[in-house]
Amino acid sequence: VSGNLPLKLVNNLGGENLKCYIAGTDSDGKVVFLGSDASLIYPSSGGSAEPVPIADPIAITMPAQGETFEITIPIAFSSGRVYFSEGDLSFYMVATGNGGEGLVQPSINNAADPSVDLNWGFVELTREGRQSPGGRWSRRRRCPGRLRRSPRPG
């Protein structure tokens, strides 16, 4: 299945400094992010067995509340996620030991994660030919207690 999956992302959250991150695995099994101009960004750990922060420009700044941001994913991909956050999420790359690279994603269960106190969540998205006749599949998942317009404690 070819790529070219158009997305319309609407900011229904408001908030300040709302960011979006679009990540997945390409047809070669490599981690890829989509830049705000729909460019493909392939982060690397440089072979490090310790997680290395992704320094590439992977954050997409969302428009004001009620406005829409349109972007097209230009490739087929799997294990995709579209993250939304109030503030900058921290992502890392690490060598997997088999010559590959792995993505270390934000975690609400790790108190040491730099993103743990941010308001964030994600949806899962895959663009292949197996899930449906149209080749698209998505599932909404939300981190518990996140991405709600409610007062934060403290």
Side-chain angles (χ1 to χ4, degrees):
V1 173
S2 67
N4 296 328
L5 175 64
L7 298 177
K8 287 185 179 183
L9 307 172
V10 180
N11 180 353
N12 288 326
L13 296 171
E16 295 181 24
N17 197 22
L18 188 64
K19 305 288 181 156
C20 172
Y21 302 82
I22 302 172
T25 305
D26 73 8
S27 59
D28 293 325
K30 294 180 181 177
V31 173
V32 61
F33 280 82
L34 204 60
S36 61
D37 61 353
S39 61
L40 301 176
I41 299 170
Y42 287 89
S44 174
S45 70
S48 175
E50 295 293 321
V52 174
I54 296 176
D56 299 299
I58 59 172
I60 299 169
T61 301
M62 289 294 292
Q65 185 171 9
E67 293 186 19
T68 301
F69 175 75
E70 295 184 34
I71 193 165
T72 298
I73 299 174
I75 61 171
F77 66 96
S78 62
S79 302
R81 285 188 174 179
V82 180
Y83 295 84
F84 297 96
S85 67
E86 285 187 278
D88 295 311
L89 289 177
S90 296
F91 294 88
Y92 302 83
M93 293 298 292
V94 65
T96 59
N98 61 0
E101 300 264 3
L103 176 63
V104 180
Q105 303 171 55
S107 171
I108 62 168
N109 298 318
N110 178 356
D113 188 302
S115 302
V116 74
D117 290 327
L118 294 178
N119 185 22
W120 65 276
F122 62 87
V123 293
E124 294 178 333
L125 180 67
T126 291
R127 172 76 169 155
E128 294 182 325
R130 296 187 295 252
Q131 281 80 10
S132 69
R136 290 176 215 152
W137 177 82
S138 67
R139 176 175 59 185
R140 180 174 173 248
R141 288 185 57 182
R142 188 165 89 186
C143 295
R146 305 291 179 167
L147 283 180
R148 287 189 254 180
R149 299 294 343 135
S150 60
R152 294 166 98 177

